Amino acid sequence: MARYTRRPMHGSMKLTTGKTCSNGWCKASFEVMEDDLAFYDKASPIYQGKKELIPPPTLCPECRNRRRMAWRNERNLYARSCELCKKPKVSVFPTDSSMHTYCRDCLYSDGWDPMAYGKQYDFSRDFHANFLGLLRETPVMMLFQSGINENCDYINFAGTECRNCYLIFNSGRDEDCYYSRGLIESKDCMDMLICSGDQLCYECVNCSESYRLLFSQNSAQCQDSAFLFNCRRCRHCFGCTNLVQKEYYLFNKPCTPEEYQAAMAQLNSSACIARSAEQLQEARLSCIHRATNNIQAEDCTGDYLFSCKNCKDSHEAKGAEDCKWLMCAKLCKDSYDLFGFAYDSELLYENVGVGMSVFAGFSFSSSAIVNSYFCFYCENVQNCFACVSLHHKKYCILNIQYSQEEYEALVPKIIAAMRKNGQWGEYLPASESTFRYNETVAQEYLPLSEEEVRKRGWRWKADDAAAPPATRIIPAAQLPDGIDAIPDDILNWAITCEVTGKPFKVIKQELDFYRKMRLPVPHLHPDERHKRRMALKNPMKLWQRECGKCGKGMQTTYSPDRKETVYCEE
């Protein structure tokens, strides 16, 4: 039986319901607040004047997030031909996937009709069987790109106006950028994570508006510097932490321009880079840390929140307001349980990669959908339910066209059947995902071992990547240390990663970047480099901890057992 207590939220006393996660391997306790119940009521659809109330969730916030993320593959790309034009392309779906895929040009062409795949709802089968049958038969987009991008065949979940980019993900409005995720409005950057407005930057995490910044984290408006942590408006600094508006500093001590130049000159050596990284790590452990990396976040809890207001338990969000449990979402209002996109949206619930939408729930990789639920790969649809790859449609169910009266009569019957099976109000299960768990962002943010994944009945991708075509295979340790000794012929080599043993190649634009920046060719596979950048971020979890100076209680992504000294925002 539910427990009812009262506890403060937003400065007032709010009724809460204590619940236990229904996942057998979790069983975590969580609470449904009065404000949450008000949101579920507000976000519930209305048909023929009757509201079909969305019930409170049965899974804890982390399990809900994991379930959503298990549907999104960002970084794993495969060679595959478009099934309509037959041209060789790149897809997030491998050739052995049950999904049918079209390239972007074919998907938006008149050469096919997604309505031809429509199905009448079969009440002898549950909702999942009905919808997944449609999903696995209807062609979907091979890669997820919106708008116009130029020379960007290998980018995924990327917004419009990208030019000459390669292997960037969840990014937008970038030019000449490579091997990055969460990169916005940047130019000539490589190996970046959650950065914006940067130029000629390399191996940075959560850095913005910087120029020629290398191997740095949580820094902004810095120039010609390297190995910075939590610095602002610094120039010609190396190995520094918590500096503001300083110039010519070496490991937090003033230095001469000659000493700074000598330190920077060492970055042409992989061994020197590794040594400087170790020194910065030591400095990070002894310096003061902010409780969160939030900036201009009013009445918010979470991390990496920028210009947000009244957002709770959210991470990597920008311009959001009155939201809860967001992840990688931008410019949305009054929404819960989202991963990705959400741009210019309101009243979204349990979505992955849905934006420019209003009153939308349980959907995936869709834009401009209104009063629509369980819509996958749809665009510009209104009042649609359980549809796939539809564009500019209204009143459709399972890709079948209905009149408004027929639609509003049938959807409540489907919801009633879903309610009996415990499927109404829940996202599709991870076990039915079109991707294997370790192909998805779930493995990046909430990693599990293969054994744990299989115990839960989810799929796992074997590491069977073949070596790329190459005239020579060379272990990374045998690469010349300095960039000057690297021949042009390296573009034809396959380099074996020092850590994973996986082979990788260097593209010409990448080699040009290393030469311009006087940097050595990396010894690690791009996936390993990304994994290490992700490891620099704190987990998406909040702990109660006392401020290391004033003793005030605070919420932070630094667990209490960690050694860092953490201060509250004040």
Side-chain angles (χ1 to χ4, degrees):
M1 182 176 292
R3 308 182 309 276
Y4 294 94
T5 58
R6 289 186 177 271
R7 64 179 56 206
M9 182 179 179
H10 307 311
S12 62
M13 302 297 283
K14 298 293 182 180
L15 185 70
T16 67
T17 303
K19 301 191 73 174
T20 300
C21 181
S22 62
N23 271 339
W25 56 80
C26 178
K27 296 295 184 183
S29 297
F30 67 101
E31 293 179 330
V32 178
M33 312 292 287
E34 186 178 277
D35 290 355
D36 303 335
L37 296 176
F39 170 81
Y40 302 136
D41 179 80
K42 189 190 303 185
S44 297
I46 298 175
Y47 304 100
Q48 296 181 327
K50 179 186 176 184
K51 181 176 290 186
E52 297 293 343
L53 189 65
I54 294 174
T58 61
L59 301 184
C60 70
E62 182 174 295
C63 284
R64 299 199 304 272
N65 200 12
R66 189 189 300 275
R67 178 175 61 183
R68 288 190 300 273
M69 290 194 293
W71 281 84
R72 177 160 164 140
N73 171 18
E74 286 186 1
R75 297 177 47 80
N76 291 276
L77 306 184
Y78 304 92
R80 181 168 177 168
S81 295
C82 170
E83 294 183 31
L84 189 58
C85 69
K86 309 304 181 183
K87 294 179 181 178
K89 300 285 184 177
V90 176
S91 175
V92 294
F93 299 100
T95 54
D96 62 353
S97 171
S98 62
M99 298 294 290
H100 298 280
T101 60
Y102 287 175
C103 67
R104 182 179 176 83
D105 290 342
C106 287
L107 195 83
Y108 288 99
S109 73
D110 295 330
W112 75 295
D113 182 8
M115 301 291 281
Y117 296 83
K119 297 177 179 292
Q120 297 288 341
Y121 196 89
D122 183 357
F123 283 94
S124 69
R125 307 165 72 206
D126 71 6
F127 173 78
H128 291 166
N130 276 274
F131 181 63
L132 291 169
L134 177 69
L135 178 62
R136 293 193 168 101
E137 292 181 18
T138 309
V140 300
M141 194 181 298
M142 302 182 78
L143 286 178
F144 308 118
Q145 299 181 10
S146 60
I148 304 301
N149 299 293
E150 181 182 339
N151 190 27
C152 295
D153 293 338
Y154 294 84
I155 69 175
N156 190 37
F157 284 110
T160 187
E161 299 174 33
C162 288
R163 296 181 65 242
N164 306 322
C165 293
Y166 179 75
L167 294 182
I168 66 170
F169 308 97
N170 196 37
S171 302
R173 299 185 298 280
D174 299 309
E175 184 174 349
D176 298 308
C177 294
Y178 318 98
Y179 306 112
S180 299
R181 183 184 186 277
L183 185 61
I184 306 296
E185 295 177 342
S186 297
K187 185 176 181 179
D188 291 308
C189 292
M190 192 162 72
D191 284 316
M192 309 283 280
L193 178 64
I194 320 174
C195 296
S196 64
D198 296 310
Q199 186 173 357
L200 287 171
C201 294
Y202 178 63
E203 279 288 3
C204 291
V205 177
N206 188 34
C207 294
S208 60
E209 301 175 46
S210 296
Y211 179 79
R212 282 188 175 268
L213 180 63
L214 315 174
F215 306 104
S216 297
Q217 184 177 359
N218 300 351
S219 297
Q221 298 175 321
C222 295
Q223 296 183 29
D224 297 296
S225 298
F227 293 102
L228 303 187
F229 179 77
N230 197 32
C231 293
R232 301 285 184 275
R233 300 185 299 280
C234 290
R235 299 179 61 196
H236 304 115
C237 293
F238 189 102
C240 297
T241 62
N242 291 334
L243 294 190
V244 178
Q245 209 161 337
K246 299 294 185 182
E247 185 171 8
Y248 288 114
Y249 268 66
L250 185 62
F251 291 101
N252 280 43
K253 295 181 180 180
C255 67
T256 65
E258 292 75 19
E259 289 172 325
Y260 163 78
Q261 292 294 345
M264 291 294 289
Q266 297 180 53
L267 298 186
N268 195 16
S269 164
S270 297
C272 291
I273 289 175
R275 185 163 56 249
S276 296
E278 290 177 2
Q279 289 177 288
L280 180 63
Q281 178 61 18
E282 292 175 4
R284 282 179 46 159
L285 290 174
S286 60
C287 77
I288 294 168
H289 293 246
R290 298 177 61 192
T292 66
N293 295 287
N294 300 337
I295 297 176
Q296 295 179 335
E298 180 183 344
D299 193 23
C300 293
T301 60
D303 208 1
Y304 297 100
L305 303 178
F306 311 111
S307 302
C308 293
K309 183 178 180 180
N310 191 31
C311 291
K312 306 300 180 184
D313 297 301
S314 299
H315 300 261
E316 295 182 38
K318 183 177 183 180
E321 187 173 340
D322 298 323
C323 295
K324 199 168 186 179
W325 298 306
L326 304 187
M327 182 68 193
C328 303
K330 301 175 181 67
L331 297 175
C332 60
K333 294 182 178 180
D334 209 5
S335 297
Y336 275 36
D337 285 283
L338 306 181
F339 186 96
F341 200 14
Y343 187 89
D344 197 21
S345 296
E346 191 170 354
L347 286 166
L348 305 187
Y349 177 56
E350 278 275 25
N351 292 311
V352 181
V354 172
M356 298 183 289
S357 301
V358 181
F359 277 107
F362 320 107
S363 298
F364 180 86
S365 195
S366 298
S367 64
I369 64 176
V370 178
N371 295 324
S372 297
Y373 300 83
F374 294 99
C375 288
F376 278 41
Y377 313 103
C378 292
E379 188 173 331
N380 286 297
V381 302
Q382 297 182 31
N383 300 295
C384 287
F385 194 93
C387 292
V388 178
S389 292
L390 292 192
H391 302 143
H392 303 282
K393 296 292 182 180
K394 296 181 179 179
Y395 302 113
C396 295
I397 303 170
L398 290 177
N399 287 26
I400 293 285
Q401 183 69 63
Y402 294 89
S403 68
Q404 179 178 350
E405 293 75 15
E406 292 170 329
Y407 176 86
E408 294 202 352
L410 181 54
V411 171
K413 294 179 182 178
I414 296 173
I415 292 176
M418 294 176 68
R419 195 175 279 118
K420 288 182 180 178
N421 292 325
Q423 295 173 337
W424 175 239
E426 302 286 344
Y427 203 79
L428 294 176
S431 58
E432 300 293 348
S433 172
T434 51
F435 302 107
R436 293 159 289 197
Y437 188 86
N438 57 327
E439 287 178 305
T440 69
V441 291
Q443 182 67 2
E444 296 182 43
Y445 286 94
L446 298 168
L448 296 172
S449 67
E450 179 179 357
E451 181 182 8
E452 290 172 318
V453 168
R454 294 194 183 280
K455 276 185 177 179
R456 298 178 186 194
W458 306 339
R459 296 183 300 143
W460 182 269
K461 174 183 177 290
D463 188 7
D464 54 0
T471 60
R472 178 184 177 188
I473 298 178
I474 180 172
Q478 294 181 15
L479 287 171
D481 201 28
I483 191 63
D484 291 333
I486 296 292
D488 291 343
D489 193 48
I490 194 175
L491 301 178
N492 300 315
W493 301 353
I495 303 168
T496 305
C497 173
E498 281 188 348
V499 173
T500 65
K502 292 174 62 175
F504 65 98
K505 297 191 76 172
V506 173
I507 63 172
K508 184 180 185 303
Q509 302 94 315
E510 181 184 356
L511 181 60
D512 292 342
F513 180 89
Y514 297 138
R515 286 172 171 170
K516 182 194 304 184
M517 302 296 289
R518 309 300 302 158
L519 293 166
V521 173
H523 289 198
L524 303 178
H525 189 282
D527 290 345
E528 179 64 20
R529 303 198 304 261
H530 172 72
K531 181 180 178 181
R532 293 186 175 212
R533 287 191 295 275
M534 289 289 291
L536 292 173
K537 294 170 66 267
N538 284 356
M540 296 188 308
K541 189 171 182 179
L542 293 170
W543 285 271
Q544 286 296 130
R545 179 168 171 165
E546 292 183 354
C547 171
K549 184 173 185 180
C550 71
K552 176 183 176 181
M554 60 184 181
Q555 282 192 319
T556 176
T557 52
Y558 291 91
S559 62
D561 59 347
R562 287 178 58 164
K563 296 179 180 180
E564 294 95 336
T565 300
V566 184
Y567 279 10
C568 66
E569 189 68 18
E570 293 178 10

